[in-house]
Amino acid sequence: MKKYLETILHVLIWGISYVLILNFINTISDFRKDEGPFWLAILFGMFMNQILFYTTAFYIVPKFLRLKKIALLVISLIGVFVFINLLESIIDYYWLVGFFSSESESFVTYLSYNSISSFFILLLGLSYALIKYWFQNEKLKRTLYEEKLTTEMTFLKTQINPHFLFNVLNSFYAKALKNDVPDLADGISKLADLMRYMVYEINEDSIALEKEIHHLKKFIQVYQLRIAEDDDVFINFTVKGTVENVQISPMLLIPFVENAIKHGIDPKTKSVINITLEVIENSLVYKVTNTVHKNAYDLKDTSSGFGLDNLKKRLTILYPNLHTIETKEEDGYFVSLLKLQIE
């Protein structure tokens, strides 16, 4: 019921407004002809006002405000205001005027009347959008603050364990070198670096995209240590565009690959994971595809703490209206696609 409350309120307000306007005009006998269906003209004017209001409040203002493109916002508002007024005035003057007006007035007169009412509706829509935008931002800030407190408390409770694990890994690394097993030592080193990144740097608000890519590659390399040489498993990673000087929230890229590994690897059949990251102007496009196996054998960890569902919630908080995320199956592949607007 709560999610429909806004819609119900809008329907009630527009309905009551129409009845009041209809009753008001009905009492002004000089304004209309008794034989004309003047209610149709009023309904049309209400409909045009609704187009102006909802275009302003739910499309123009949210779109350009979140992009911080104020000039385009103003131009768009002026454009839709002029278009709606001209269209309404033309239809009023050349068709609907005969339904309610007993006087022969000029086109400019109707344009002036419509402009006054439309300007009021435009201000109403603008105010509605700004107030709603402010409330949404405040809600997101509170949510982020609460999640940050929860993360900090969790980290404080568990920070002894990472130190212990790092010390153990350092011991294993030293033993691997001592026993002349360089591949094992290299794998332990990569795993330690990856854990250090996931434990300490994940708490930062943003991180260099280059660094996130670097640790994603390490994540892939660590996983590949689990793959036998004769397994038909291929993981391809391609980076396009200029990734320097780009900042993103940490741990946005790894969950996609982790999901692909969990659900797309079968060591007994050919398994392919293709990862593409591209920076185009102020947009980041990240695509991960993996083969679909109906009966996948386990090289995966079912207890993973990350997942696309959690990531979607996190993106909604961190990048409200600045991202799109899609998951679908096509041609034997599962496709995960993230489009993110960046500074």
Side-chain angles (χ1 to χ4, degrees), residues 285-299:
V285 181
Y286 182 54
K287 184 177 181 181
V288 179
T289 64
N290 61 270
T291 45
V292 176
H293 300 295
K294 300 302 181 184
N295 297 301
Y297 292 84
D298 260 350
L299 268 181

Side-chain angles (χ1 to χ4, degrees), residues 52 56 60-65 68-82 119 122 126 130:
L52 179 61
T56 300
I60 294 177
V61 177
K63 178 180 179 180
F64 294 111
L65 192 61
K68 295 184 172 66
K69 295 182 178 179
I70 305 302
L72 285 176
L73 171 62
V74 174
I75 292 172
S76 299
L77 289 177
I78 294 174
V80 73
F81 174 78
V82 172
F119 184 71
L122 182 71
L126 180 61
L130 290 175

Side-chain angles (χ1 to χ4, degrees), residues 78-97:
I78 294 174
V80 73
F81 174 78
V82 172
F83 174 77
I84 292 293
N85 275 292
L86 284 175
L87 179 62
E88 184 178 4
S89 299
I90 289 171
I91 294 176
D92 279 348
Y93 184 75
Y94 289 102
W95 184 51
L96 294 179
V97 61

Side-chain angles (χ1 to χ4, degrees), residues 194-308:
L194 185 62
M195 286 183 58
R196 190 171 290 106
Y197 170 73
M198 296 175 70
V199 170
Y200 296 113
E201 298 189 44
I202 192 175
N203 293 314
E204 298 295 327
D205 292 333
S206 64
I207 193 170
L209 178 58
E210 289 179 286
K211 205 167 189 179
E212 181 82 350
I213 292 172
H214 174 71
H215 285 282
L216 175 57
K217 290 179 178 178
K218 283 194 174 182
F219 176 82
I220 295 170
Q221 291 168 356
V222 169
Y223 177 78
Q224 286 175 324
L225 295 174
R226 303 169 63 182
I227 302 173
E229 291 184 3
D230 57 345
D231 288 340
D232 205 7
V233 178
F234 304 92
I235 302 178
N236 308 306
F237 186 19
T238 304
V239 178
K240 301 177 183 178
T242 304
V243 299
E244 294 82 6
N245 302 319
V246 176
Q247 296 282 324
I248 64 170
S249 180
M251 290 299 297
L252 290 186
L253 305 182
I254 288 179
F256 287 92
V257 179
E258 186 184 37
N259 186 73
I261 289 172
K262 287 173 64 178
H263 301 291
I265 296 295
D266 183 348
K268 293 193 176 183
T269 60
K270 184 177 181 180
S271 302
V272 179
I273 296 176
N274 292 316
I275 308 161
T276 304
L277 186 147
E278 185 174 7
V279 176
I280 308 171
E281 295 181 352
N282 63 336
S283 297
L284 183 150
V285 181
Y286 182 54
K287 184 177 181 181
V288 179
T289 64
N290 61 270
T291 45
V292 176
H293 300 295
K294 300 302 181 184
N295 297 301
Y297 292 84
D298 260 350
L299 268 181
K300 50 206 177 212
D301 178 10
T302 57
S303 64
S304 172
F306 293 98
L308 293 186

